[in-house]
Amino acid sequence: MKALFTLFIATAWLTPSLAYAQASHHSVVHDTKTLPSEILGGERNYAIYLPPSYQTSQRSYPVLYLLHGGGDDQTGWVQFGEVQHIADKAIANGTATPMVIVMPDANTGRRGYFNDIRGGWNYEDFFFKEFIPYIEKNYRVKSDKRYRAVAGLSMGGGGSFMYALHHPEVFSSACPLSASTGPLNLDDAKRRYNRPRRNEPDVKVEPVADEKIDEYLQQHSALKLVENLPADDIKSVRWYIDCGDDDFLYEGNSLVHIAMRKREIPHEYRVRDGGHRWSYWRSALPTVLSFVSESFHQN
Amino acid sequence: MKALFTLFIATAWLTPSLAYAQASHHSVVHDTKTLPSEILGGERNYAIYLPPSYQTSQRSYPVLYLLHGGGDDQTGWVQFGEVQHIADKAIANGTATPMVIVMPDANTGRRGYFNDIRGGWNYEDFFFKEFIPYIEKNYRVKSDKRYRAVAGLSMGGGGSFMYALHHPEVFSSACPLSASTGPLNLDDAKRRYNRPRRNEPDVKVEPVADEKIDEYLQQHSALKLVENLPADDIKSVRWYIDCGDDDFLYEGNSLVHIAMRKREIPHEYRVRDGGHRWSYWRSALPTVLSFVSESFHQN
Amino acid sequence: MKALFTLFIATAWLTPSLAYAQASHHSVVHDTKTLPSEILGGERNYAIYLPPSYQTSQRSYPVLYLLHGGGDDQTGWVQFGEVQHIADKAIANGTATPMVIVMPDANTGRRGYFNDIRGGWNYEDFFFKEFIPYIEKNYRVKSDKRYRAVAGLSMGGGGSFMYALHHPEVFSSACPLSASTGPLNLDDAKRRYNRPRRNEPDVKVEPVADEKIDEYLQQHSALKLVENLPADDIKSVRWYIDCGDDDFLYEGNSLVHIAMRKREIPHEYRVRDGGHRWSYWRSALPTVLSFVSESFHQN
Amino acid sequence: MKALFTLFIATAWLTPSLAYAQASHHSVVHDTKTLPSEILGGERNYAIYLPPSYQTSQRSYPVLYLLHGGGDDQTGWVQFGEVQHIADKAIANGTATPMVIVMPDANTGRRGYFNDIRGGWNYEDFFFKEFIPYIEKNYRVKSDKRYRAVAGLSMGGGGSFMYALHHPEVFSSACPLSASTGPLNLDDAKRRYNRPRRNEPDVKVEPVADEKIDEYLQQHSALKLVENLPADDIKSVRWYIDCGDDDFLYEGNSLVHIAMRKREIPHEYRVRDGGHRWSYWRSALPTVLSFVSESFHQN
C-alpha cells in the first residue's frame, strides 16, 4: 500500500507542465517560442505543433519544417493555415503519421530564408547550424534524413527548394507550394537584387557586381539548380511541387517541372484550380502531410 | 481506505489552472465573469467561450464580440444561442477557425450599447476603452483589426452596426442579425428618445432638444451612418446582414441594404424565412462564424 | 382466349404517340410547340413539361405558368433552367406534386408580357384569352384558381407580379424571381416608355403623354399595385418573392417587401447570396415547385 | 399458344423508332453509325450518345464533339472512356446538362484530324463542312456556338486545340486532354512531317519544302496559334486544359499554359497525378462534362 500512497501524493505535486501531460491526448501548438541565435544576433521566434501523442509517449517523431511566405511570420501556418486542425485530422485519419511540425520566423530583421547576397545576414546558416540542432536537442524528434521534411509556401516554397537542393543529405522530402523559384535569368536577377528590400524600402542597397549576382543566382534559382546539380543528389529527395493555374508564379514552377522531366528526376507535380492564396495552401496541406509521411513510413 | 482518501485530498490541491488543463481538450464557457469598470461604475459581467485548444496550446486567437439583445444579458447566447455547441461543431468541421467569443452584458444599469443621449452613462466608451483592452490583456487574443469581429442580434445587431461604423479601424467583420437599425427619421427619434426607458419604466426622462436629438440620431442610425460616412471607412469592414422576412425590423434592414447598394459598399445580405426569434439566430450563427473566419483565415 | 388474342393484336397496332405512353413513367418535355393567336397575329411558341405519370394516367394536373426573362425565349427554362431535371427530382422526392409546367414565348414580335402602352400589341390579352384556354383545352390540366400558379424570372418575374395582381382570380400562387418590378415613379416611367424597344432599337417610338404614362404606370408597377389594390385581392394569392443580394433589381423588390409588410399582406420573401443569373434561378426552382404545391395540395 | 405466338409477331412489327421509345428513359449509345463523305471519299464512322430524355422529349440539345486519340477509333470513348456510364451519372447528378455527345472516327484512311500537309486528305474540311452539318440535320441538336463544345484526348486533344483555334466562332468551350500540341519548332516539325505515317509505315512520304512545313506548323501548333492569333478570338472560347505530371506530352501543355498566361487568356489548367492513359481520361471526363455544361447552362 505504501507505493500506491506515494503515487497519490505525487499526483498532488503535479507541476503545470505535467498538467499538459494529463491532457495529452490532444495536440499542442505554441505560436511564439524563442531560441537565441548567435548567427543572426538575438532571439528568434518559431511556432511548433506537437502531435496528440507527444505528451503521453516517450517516443521520438519525424519532423516537418514548414515555412511561411513573405509578409507573414511563424504564426501564419497556425492562424491562416489551420495547421493544428488539419494535422490532427490527418493523423486521426491515418493519412499522416504523427510528426512534429516546426515553423520558424523569417520575417524579423531581414525577410527571407537565404544568406544575403551582400553578406552580414546569414539566415540559411542559422537554419542549418543553429535552428535544426536546437529543435533536435529540445524536442523528441528523429535526426536522420529520412525523418526530416521541408515544405513551405511562396517565399517559403523558395526556401523549400533551396534548402533541399543545397542540402539533399538533410531532407527526405520537399514540398514547395506556389514557390517563388527565384530569378529566371541574369537580367531578372539584377533587377531584383539591386532594388531596396521589401521590408526596408528606405534603405538604399549597394549595387552588386554582375559577376557576383550571376554566381548568387546560380545558387538561388530553383531552375538553375535543378538543371545543374548532380541528378542523383536531387533524386535523393522526394519532391511534391504544387502551384495553382491562377498563381502569378506559374512560369518558374512550370519550367522547373519541364527541367525535372528532361533530367528524369521523379517528382509529383500538381496544378490545381486557384491562385496565390491561403485557401489554396490549406487545401494543399493534407496532401503534403500524407506525402511526407510516405517517406517517414517507408512504404 | 487511506490511499483513496489521499487521492481525494490530492485532487483538492489541484490549482484552478491545472483543473482546466485536465479538461483542456474541450471548449470552456463561463457565463458570468466580471471586470471592474470606472466608466460605468462597478463590476460588469461578461460571458466567454474559449475554443477546445485554448487550454493546451500557447497560441493566440482571433476574437468575436457577440452582443445580446434587449431583455437578455450576457448569458443569452450561451443559454438560448447554443454558442458552445455551435462553435464547437463549426471548429471541428473546419468551417470556422478556433476563436475566442466574448459576450458582454449590456443589461445592467441602463440597457443598451450606446453612450446615453443625456450623458452620464457611456457604455460605448466602456466597451472600447475598458472592455476590449481588458479582454486583450487577460486572454490570449490577437489585437489587430483583422482578428476582431463583432456580431449581435436585435439591440446587439444595432450595437454591431454602430461599433463597426464608429470604429471601422477596430473590426474586420460585422454581422448584425435582425438588427435594430435605429430611428429612421427625426420624428421617430423624438418619440423614442423622450419616452421612459424600457427597464426603468417609472423613471421620467428629461425631454431633449430637437437639435440634440437630430445630432444623436445622425450618429446612432445605421441608415444615416451608411449614407454619410466616408465609403472607404465602411468598406474596410466586411458586412454580413441578416433579417428574417417576418421580422418587425424589416424596414430598417431593407433600407440599409438599399443604401449600401447605392453607395456600392460590398456586403452580404440575407432574408431568410422567419421572425425575431432565437431559432432564427441559432440558425444564423454557423454562417456568422464561417463569415468572420474568412477574415481571420485571409483567404 | 379470344380476348387475349385481340389484346396482342392491338399491341401491334400501336401508334407512335402511344409509344410514348409505353415509356410513360418518365416526364416529357417539348421545347417548341405552337398555337395560333388571333390577338397577336400568327403562330406563337411555347414549351411544356408533362410530369412522369402524365402519359399513363388519365387524371388531370395542376399547372404552373413559368415565364422566361428578356433575351430568352420559351426554351430558356428548358435549357438553362433545367426544368425537367429539377421537376423530376422534386416530384420523385415528394417535395412537389406532379404538375404540368407551361412556358410561353414572349420574345417574338414584341418582347414582354404586357399589352403595349401604345396599343396594337396585346400580349397580356393573348395570355389570358387565348393561351390559358388553349392549354386547358389541349392538356389534362385543372382549370380552377387553386390549381394555377405563375412564376418567372426578371422580365418574367414582372409578368408574374402583374398577371397575379391583375387577375388574382386566376392564380393561387405567384413566384416572382429577381423580378423587374416596373418603374418606381413617373420620371423613371417616362424615361423607360419613351425610349426605343430593346429588340427594335432602330424603330423610333412615338412619345406618349405624361398622363397616359402615369395611368399605365399605375397598372404596371408592382409597387403601385401592391400599395393601391384592395388588400383582400392581393391576399387571395400566395406570394413567394426572391431576389439576390447582388441583383441589380434589389430596390424594387426590397420596396415591394416593405409595402406588403406595411399592408400586412402575407408573403414569403427571400434574399439569398447571388446576382441576376441562371445559377440563382436554378437554385430557386425547387423551392418554387414546393411552394406552389402547397396550394395544389391544400395543406 | 396461338396468342403467345401473335405477341411475338406483334413485337416484330414494332418500328425501330417505336423500339427506342420503349427504351426511352435510358440513354442510347451507337458505336458505329455512318455518314457519306464526298470530301474524304466514302463512308465515315461515328459513335453517338443520346441522353436519357432524348427519345421521349421533343426538345433540342447542346452537343459535345469528343475526339479519340491516335490508335483508337470512334469506339474508344465508348469502350475505354465509359462515356455512357459517366454521362448518365453526371446528368442524373445534375453536374452536367443533358447533351448529345458525338464521337467521329479519325482513324480510317489517314489517321488524324487535320488537312494533310501534302493535300488530298482534308479531314478538317470534312469535319466542318460535312460532319457538323450532318449531325445538326439528323439529330435534335442546337446549332449555335454557345451549344457546341469540343474535347478530346492526345491526338484528339490536338484536334480540340486546332478546331477551336481555327474556328472560335463554332465552339463555346474546348477541353484538350493530354493533348499533342504539335511540333514546338521547325526542326521538330521537319522530323515529324517527313517521316512515314504511323498507320502507313511502308508508304514513303514525299519530302516537303521547309517553307511549306513552317507555314503548316504555324497553323497546326497550338503554341504558335496561342501566341499569334488575335487574343479576343481565343478568349471567345472557354478553355479547360489537363495533362498529367507523368505524361510524355508535358512540355507542350506547360508551354501553352505559360503562353496563355502571358497573353492573359483565361483558361482552366490542371496537372493531376498520372500519365498518358485511359484512367486519367476517364477521371477527367466528369469535369469536362461539367465544364462544358457551364456554357450550355449560362451561369
Side-chain angles (χ1 to χ4, degrees):
Chain A
M1 285 305 285
K2 185 84 186 299
L4 202 56
F5 173 71
T6 307
L7 171 67
F8 291 137
I9 292 295
T11 306
W13 290 345
L14 285 171
T15 65
S17 71
L18 196 52
Y20 285 153
Q22 292 188 321
S24 59
H25 50 300
H26 284 269
S27 64
V28 171
V29 164
H30 297 264
D31 68 3
T32 313
K33 302 279 281 186
T34 59
L35 80 160
S37 168
E38 279 189 33
I39 291 171
L40 297 181
E43 295 285 301
R44 300 296 307 179
N45 291 330
Y46 66 96
I48 194 161
Y49 166 88
L50 303 171
S53 60
Y54 188 88
Q55 304 293 344
T56 42
S57 296
Q58 286 300 323
R59 59 165 288 199
S60 65
Y61 292 86
V63 58
L64 167 64
Y65 291 90
L66 187 58
L67 312 182
H68 66 77
D72 267 334
D73 59 25
Q74 84 282 353
T75 66
W77 277 105
V78 175
Q79 177 58 41
F80 305 133
E82 291 285 348
V83 69
Q84 185 170 27
H85 176 76
I86 291 170
D88 282 358
K89 198 171 155 188
I91 292 168
N93 286 346
T95 54
T97 190
M99 68 185 83
V100 170
I101 304 177
V102 183
M103 295 151 279
D105 168 34
N107 193 44
T108 302
R110 296 271 165 75
R111 179 189 287 184
Y113 296 97
F114 302 160
N115 292 342
D116 196 88
I117 188 172
R118 290 170 184 80
W121 182 263
N122 294 316
Y123 191 95
E124 187 168 345
D125 290 351
F126 155 75
F127 189 87
F128 286 95
K129 294 180 184 165
E130 293 184 331
F131 188 60
I132 291 184
Y134 178 90
I135 295 298
E136 297 190 349
K137 190 176 163 195
N138 286 275
Y139 295 90
R140 292 197 315 279
V141 294
K142 297 175 191 289
S143 54
D144 302 322
K145 168 184 166 81
R146 165 173 294 157
Y147 300 114
R148 289 194 210 95
V150 62
L153 71 90
S154 195
M155 179 179 90
S160 304
F161 265 127
M162 238 48 69
Y163 286 2
L165 288 166
H166 291 172
H167 292 284
E169 78 284 4
V170 172
F171 302 106
S172 58
S173 306
C175 309
L177 306 176
S178 310
S180 71
T181 53
L184 294 174
N185 53 49
L186 186 58
D187 280 347
D188 187 11
K190 282 157 69 176
R191 244 189 335 269
R192 292 201 208 186
Y193 295 139
N194 286 330
R195 71 185 170 206
R197 296 188 192 88
R198 283 219 185 165
N199 54 352
E200 299 171 356
D202 301 330
V203 177
K204 202 174 170 291
V205 298
E206 203 67 31
V208 176
D210 285 8
E211 199 170 56
K212 189 164 176 187
I213 286 186
D214 188 51
E215 191 189 332
Y216 189 83
L217 167 66
Q218 297 301 327
Q219 290 305 315
H220 294 85
S221 154
L223 189 57
K224 299 293 182 195
L225 289 167
V226 163
E227 286 171 346
N228 298 324
L229 284 178
D232 283 348
D233 286 357
I234 311 179
K235 287 180 189 176
S236 83
V237 177
R238 294 171 64 249
W239 293 93
Y240 184 87
I241 303 166
D242 181 359
C243 181
D245 64 345
D246 301 321
D247 199 299
F248 65 93
L249 294 169
Y250 64 95
E251 190 173 14
N253 285 280
S254 295
L255 295 178
V256 166
H257 171 51
I258 292 174
M260 283 189 162
R261 286 295 306 267
K262 297 211 167 182
R263 294 194 74 189
E264 299 187 353
I265 293 164
H267 64 292
E268 297 297 319
Y269 177 55
R270 300 289 182 276
V271 179
R272 297 178 296 120
D273 186 22
H276 203 78
R277 51 194 358 148
W278 274 103
S279 55
Y280 196 84
W281 305 316
R282 279 194 298 273
S283 66
L285 188 54
T287 312
V288 165
L289 297 179
S290 163
F291 181 81
V292 303
S293 292
E294 286 171 36
S295 305
F296 302 156
H297 269 151
Q298 193 184 35
N299 271 336
Chain B
M1 286 305 286
K2 183 86 186 297
L4 203 55
F5 173 71
T6 308
L7 172 66
F8 292 137
I9 293 294
T11 306
W13 290 344
L14 289 169
T15 65
S17 71
L18 196 52
Y20 284 156
Q22 291 187 322
S24 60
H25 52 295
H26 287 283
S27 63
V28 172
V29 164
H30 297 265
D31 68 2
T32 313
K33 302 276 282 186
T34 59
L35 80 161
S37 168
E38 281 189 28
I39 291 170
L40 298 181
E43 296 285 302
R44 300 294 308 177
N45 291 332
Y46 66 96
I48 193 161
Y49 166 89
L50 303 172
S53 60
Y54 188 87
Q55 304 293 344
T56 40
S57 292
Q58 285 299 323
R59 59 165 289 200
S60 64
Y61 293 87
V63 59
L64 167 65
Y65 293 90
L66 186 59
L67 311 181
H68 66 76
D72 267 334
D73 58 24
Q74 83 282 354
T75 66
W77 277 106
V78 175
Q79 177 60 39
F80 306 133
E82 291 286 350
V83 69
Q84 186 169 26
H85 175 74
I86 291 171
D88 282 357
K89 197 171 154 186
I91 292 168
N93 286 346
T95 55
T97 191
M99 67 185 81
V100 169
I101 304 176
V102 183
M103 295 151 280
D105 168 35
N107 194 44
T108 303
R110 296 273 166 73
R111 179 189 287 183
Y113 296 96
F114 303 160
N115 292 342
D116 196 88
I117 189 171
R118 290 170 184 79
W121 182 262
N122 294 317
Y123 191 95
E124 186 168 346
D125 290 352
F126 155 74
F127 189 87
F128 286 96
K129 294 181 184 163
E130 293 183 332
F131 189 60
I132 290 184
Y134 178 89
I135 294 297
E136 296 189 350
K137 192 177 161 194
N138 286 275
Y139 296 90
R140 291 197 315 279
V141 294
K142 298 175 190 286
S143 54
D144 302 320
K145 170 184 164 83
R146 166 175 291 158
Y147 302 115
R148 289 196 209 93
V150 63
L153 71 90
S154 195
M155 180 180 90
S160 304
F161 265 127
M162 238 48 70
Y163 285 3
L165 289 166
H166 290 171
H167 292 285
E169 78 284 1
V170 172
F171 302 105
S172 58
S173 307
C175 309
L177 306 176
S178 309
S180 72
T181 54
L184 293 175
N185 53 49
L186 187 57
D187 281 346
D188 187 11
K190 282 158 70 176
R191 238 184 346 264
R192 293 202 208 185
Y193 296 139
N194 285 329
R195 71 184 169 206
R197 295 188 193 89
R198 284 220 183 162
N199 53 352
E200 298 170 356
D202 301 331
V203 177
K204 198 172 174 294
V205 299
E206 203 66 31
V208 177
D210 285 7
E211 200 171 55
K212 190 164 176 186
I213 286 187
D214 188 52
E215 191 188 331
Y216 189 82
L217 167 67
Q218 298 301 325
Q219 291 304 315
H220 294 84
S221 152
L223 188 57
K224 299 291 182 196
L225 290 167
V226 163
E227 285 171 346
N228 299 324
L229 284 179
D232 283 348
D233 286 357
I234 311 179
K235 287 179 190 176
S236 83
V237 177
R238 296 171 62 248
W239 294 94
Y240 184 86
I241 302 167
D242 181 359
C243 181
D245 64 346
D246 301 322
D247 198 299
F248 66 91
L249 293 168
Y250 64 94
E251 190 172 14
N253 285 280
S254 294
L255 295 178
V256 166
H257 171 52
I258 292 174
M260 282 191 164
R261 285 295 307 268
K262 297 211 168 182
R263 294 196 73 190
E264 299 185 353
I265 293 163
H267 64 293
E268 298 296 320
Y269 178 54
R270 301 287 183 276
V271 179
R272 297 180 295 119
D273 185 22
H276 203 77
R277 49 194 2 146
W278 273 105
S279 56
Y280 197 84
W281 305 316
R282 278 194 299 272
S283 66
L285 188 54
T287 312
V288 166
L289 297 180
S290 162
F291 180 81
V292 302
S293 291
E294 286 171 37
S295 305
F296 302 156
H297 266 156
Q298 192 186 39
N299 271 336
Chain C
M1 286 305 287
K2 183 86 186 298
L4 201 57
F5 173 71
T6 308
L7 173 65
F8 291 138
I9 290 296
T11 306
W13 291 345
L14 286 170
T15 66
S17 71
L18 196 50
Y20 285 154
Q22 292 188 319
S24 60
H25 50 301
H26 283 268
S27 63
V28 172
V29 164
H30 296 263
D31 67 4
T32 312
K33 302 278 281 186
T34 59
L35 79 160
S37 168
E38 279 189 31
I39 292 171
L40 297 181
E43 296 284 304
R44 300 296 307 178
N45 291 332
Y46 67 96
I48 193 161
Y49 166 88
L50 303 171
S53 60
Y54 188 87
Q55 303 292 345
T56 41
S57 297
Q58 286 300 322
R59 60 167 286 200
S60 65
Y61 292 87
V63 58
L64 168 64
Y65 292 88
L66 187 58
L67 311 182
H68 66 77
D72 267 335
D73 59 24
Q74 84 283 354
T75 66
W77 277 105
V78 175
Q79 177 59 40
F80 305 134
E82 291 285 350
V83 69
Q84 186 170 25
H85 176 76
I86 291 170
D88 282 357
K89 197 171 155 187
I91 292 167
N93 286 346
T95 56
T97 189
M99 67 186 81
V100 169
I101 304 176
V102 182
M103 296 152 279
D105 168 34
N107 194 44
T108 302
R110 296 270 165 78
R111 178 189 288 184
Y113 295 97
F114 302 159
N115 292 342
D116 196 89
I117 189 172
R118 290 171 184 78
W121 182 263
N122 294 316
Y123 191 95
E124 187 168 345
D125 290 351
F126 155 75
F127 188 87
F128 286 95
K129 295 181 183 163
E130 293 184 331
F131 188 60
I132 291 184
Y134 178 89
I135 294 297
E136 297 189 348
K137 191 176 162 198
N138 287 276
Y139 296 89
R140 294 197 313 280
V141 294
K142 297 176 190 290
S143 55
D144 301 322
K145 169 184 165 80
R146 164 173 295 157
Y147 300 115
R148 290 195 210 93
V150 63
L153 71 91
S154 194
M155 180 179 91
S160 304
F161 265 126
M162 238 49 68
Y163 285 3
L165 288 166
H166 291 171
H167 292 284
E169 78 283 3
V170 173
F171 303 104
S172 58
S173 308
C175 309
L177 306 176
S178 310
S180 70
T181 54
L184 294 175
N185 52 50
L186 187 58
D187 280 347
D188 187 11
K190 281 156 68 176
R191 242 191 334 270
R192 291 202 210 185
Y193 295 139
N194 284 331
R195 71 183 170 207
R197 295 185 193 90
R198 282 222 186 162
N199 53 354
E200 298 172 357
D202 301 330
V203 177
K204 205 174 169 291
V205 298
E206 204 67 32
V208 177
D210 285 8
E211 199 170 56
K212 189 164 178 189
I213 285 186
D214 189 51
E215 190 188 331
Y216 189 82
L217 168 65
Q218 298 301 326
Q219 291 304 315
H220 293 85
S221 153
L223 189 57
K224 300 291 182 196
L225 290 167
V226 163
E227 285 170 347
N228 299 325
L229 285 178
D232 283 348
D233 286 356
I234 311 179
K235 287 180 189 176
S236 84
V237 177
R238 296 171 63 248
W239 294 93
Y240 184 87
I241 302 167
D242 182 359
C243 181
D245 64 346
D246 301 321
D247 199 300
F248 65 93
L249 294 168
Y250 64 95
E251 190 172 16
N253 285 280
S254 294
L255 296 177
V256 166
H257 171 52
I258 292 174
M260 283 190 163
R261 286 295 306 268
K262 297 211 167 181
R263 295 195 73 189
E264 299 186 352
I265 293 162
H267 64 293
E268 297 296 321
Y269 177 54
R270 301 288 182 276
V271 179
R272 296 179 296 120
D273 185 22
H276 203 76
R277 50 193 0 148
W278 274 104
S279 55
Y280 197 85
W281 305 316
R282 280 193 299 271
S283 65
L285 188 53
T287 313
V288 166
L289 297 180
S290 162
F291 181 82
V292 302
S293 291
E294 287 171 36
S295 305
F296 302 156
H297 269 151
Q298 193 183 36
N299 271 335
Chain D
M1 285 304 288
K2 182 87 185 296
L4 201 57
F5 173 72
T6 308
L7 172 65
F8 291 137
I9 291 296
T11 306
W13 289 347
L14 289 169
T15 65
S17 71
L18 196 50
Y20 285 154
Q22 291 187 322
S24 60
H25 51 298
H26 288 282
S27 63
V28 172
V29 165
H30 298 266
D31 67 2
T32 314
K33 303 276 281 186
T34 59
L35 79 160
S37 168
E38 281 189 29
I39 290 171
L40 297 182
E43 295 285 302
R44 300 296 307 179
N45 291 332
Y46 65 96
I48 194 162
Y49 166 88
L50 303 171
S53 60
Y54 188 87
Q55 303 293 342
T56 41
S57 292
Q58 286 299 323
R59 59 166 288 201
S60 63
Y61 293 86
V63 59
L64 167 65
Y65 292 90
L66 188 58
L67 311 183
H68 66 77
D72 267 334
D73 59 24
Q74 84 282 353
T75 66
W77 277 105
V78 175
Q79 177 59 39
F80 305 132
E82 292 286 350
V83 68
Q84 186 169 25
H85 175 74
I86 291 171
D88 282 358
K89 195 171 158 189
I91 292 167
N93 285 347
T95 55
T97 190
M99 66 185 82
V100 170
I101 304 176
V102 183
M103 294 151 282
D105 168 34
N107 194 43
T108 302
R110 295 273 165 74
R111 178 189 288 181
Y113 295 96
F114 303 159
N115 292 342
D116 196 88
I117 189 171
R118 292 171 182 78
W121 183 262
N122 293 317
Y123 191 94
E124 187 168 346
D125 289 352
F126 155 74
F127 189 87
F128 286 95
K129 294 182 184 163
E130 294 184 331
F131 188 61
I132 291 184
Y134 178 89
I135 294 298
E136 297 188 349
K137 192 177 163 196
N138 286 276
Y139 296 90
R140 292 198 314 279
V141 293
K142 297 175 190 286
S143 54
D144 301 320
K145 169 183 166 82
R146 166 176 293 159
Y147 301 115
R148 288 195 210 96
V150 63
L153 71 91
S154 194
M155 180 179 90
S160 304
F161 265 127
M162 237 50 68
Y163 285 3
L165 288 166
H166 290 170
H167 292 285
E169 79 284 1
V170 172
F171 302 105
S172 58
S173 306
C175 309
L177 306 175
S178 310
S180 71
T181 54
L184 294 175
N185 52 51
L186 187 58
D187 280 347
D188 188 10
K190 280 156 71 176
R191 241 187 340 266
R192 291 202 210 187
Y193 295 140
N194 285 330
R195 72 185 168 206
R197 295 186 193 91
R198 283 218 187 165
N199 53 353
E200 298 170 358
D202 301 329
V203 177
K204 200 172 172 293
V205 299
E206 203 66 31
V208 176
D210 285 8
E211 198 170 56
K212 190 163 178 188
I213 286 186
D214 188 51
E215 191 189 330
Y216 189 82
L217 167 67
Q218 297 301 326
Q219 290 305 315
H220 293 84
S221 152
L223 188 58
K224 300 292 182 196
L225 289 166
V226 163
E227 285 171 346
N228 299 324
L229 285 177
D232 283 349
D233 286 356
I234 311 180
K235 288 180 188 176
S236 83
V237 178
R238 296 171 62 248
W239 295 93
Y240 185 86
I241 302 167
D242 182 358
C243 182
D245 63 345
D246 301 322
D247 198 299
F248 66 91
L249 294 168
Y250 65 94
E251 188 172 16
N253 284 280
S254 295
L255 294 178
V256 166
H257 172 50
I258 292 174
M260 283 190 164
R261 286 296 305 269
K262 296 212 168 182
R263 294 195 73 187
E264 299 186 352
I265 293 163
H267 64 293
E268 297 296 322
Y269 177 54
R270 301 288 183 277
V271 179
R272 297 179 294 121
D273 186 21
H276 203 77
R277 49 192 4 144
W278 274 103
S279 55
Y280 197 84
W281 305 316
R282 279 193 299 272
S283 66
L285 188 54
T287 312
V288 166
L289 297 179
S290 163
F291 181 82
V292 303
S293 290
E294 286 172 36
S295 305
F296 302 156
H297 266 154
Q298 191 187 40
N299 270 336

